[in-house]
Amino acid sequence: MSSDIIPVPAGTIEIATAKGKDVDLLKPLKKDVYLKDLYLYNVGKRADAAALASLREGDEVSLRHEKALYDEFMTICCTNSGLPLGEVGEFDEEIFSRILDAGKELYCKVVRKGMAHDEPFVRISVTMKDY
């Protein structure tokens, strides 16, 4: 029987990862898991006017778990500069807060932004980076 292990010559990994090379050794281990599109709640109450004005479709935003006295699973959506935009709804907040507490990376993009019934709304798409 032959062994399936093949020796790699010295310096092969250094050559593959040298600057200027487009080689990503972890590429087979990375995958993006689409979770959900959702509307943010309390955008008119929580979001700063400057944050809403500068927000564009396609911008990246982040989710942050904030424990509150009245809600232990409160999950806030913030811009990259840290300004709050709105909250994740009650149905989804426990799920996303537990994912964030587990140390997983959630990436969010703004899908839509607009006004409905004189109130601003923001819809985001949530994707988890899994290794």
Side-chain angles (χ1 to χ4, degrees), residues 11 17 27 31 52 57 60 64 68 70-71 93 97-98 102 105 116 125:
T17 58
K27 199 168 196 171
K31 62 180 178 180
L52 278 176
E57 291 179 6
E60 289 188 13
R64 183 175 67 206
Y70 58 91
D71 189 2
E93 69 182 359
S97 65
R98 290 186 188 272
E105 296 180 47
S125 176

Side-chain angles (χ1 to χ4, degrees), residues 19-30:
K19 287 187 176 182
K21 304 280 185 181
D22 291 331
V23 176
D24 188 4
L25 295 177
L26 293 177
K27 199 168 196 171
L29 303 176
K30 293 181 185 177

Side-chain angles (χ1 to χ4, degrees), residues 3-128:
S3 173
D4 289 343
I5 299 174
I6 300 170
V8 177
T12 304
I13 295 191
E14 288 81 9
I15 292 169
T17 58
K19 287 187 176 182
K21 304 280 185 181
D22 291 331
V23 176
D24 188 4
L25 295 177
L26 293 177
K27 199 168 196 171
L29 303 176
K30 293 181 185 177
K31 62 180 178 180
D32 293 337
V33 180
Y34 167 77
L35 296 178
K36 191 173 190 176
D37 279 7
L38 55 98
Y39 285 97
L40 298 177
Y41 289 88
N42 294 331
V43 174
K45 297 175 188 168
R46 191 173 276 278
D48 186 42
L52 278 176
S54 66
L55 191 67
R56 303 278 179 250
E57 291 179 6
D59 285 355
E60 289 188 13
V61 293
S62 61
L63 292 179
R64 183 175 67 206
H65 179 202
E66 282 189 4
K67 293 181 182 176
L69 182 62
Y70 58 91
D71 189 2
E72 65 177 309
F73 300 115
M74 180 180 281
T75 306
I76 307 290
C77 181
C78 300
T79 62
N80 286 338
S81 59
L83 297 172
L85 290 173
E87 304 170 7
V88 174
E90 288 181 27
F91 182 75
D92 298 319
E93 69 182 359
E94 183 176 354
I95 296 165
F96 288 123
S97 65
R98 290 186 188 272
I99 289 172
L100 290 168
D101 288 345
K104 295 291 186 178
E105 296 180 47
L106 294 179
Y107 294 97
C108 308
K109 278 193 172 182
V110 176
V111 177
R112 286 190 67 201
K113 175 191 129 176
M115 295 287 285
H117 307 290
D118 297 330
E119 287 290 324
F121 73 87
V122 177
R123 182 176 179 170
I124 62 172
S125 176
V126 184
T127 305
M128 180 176 67

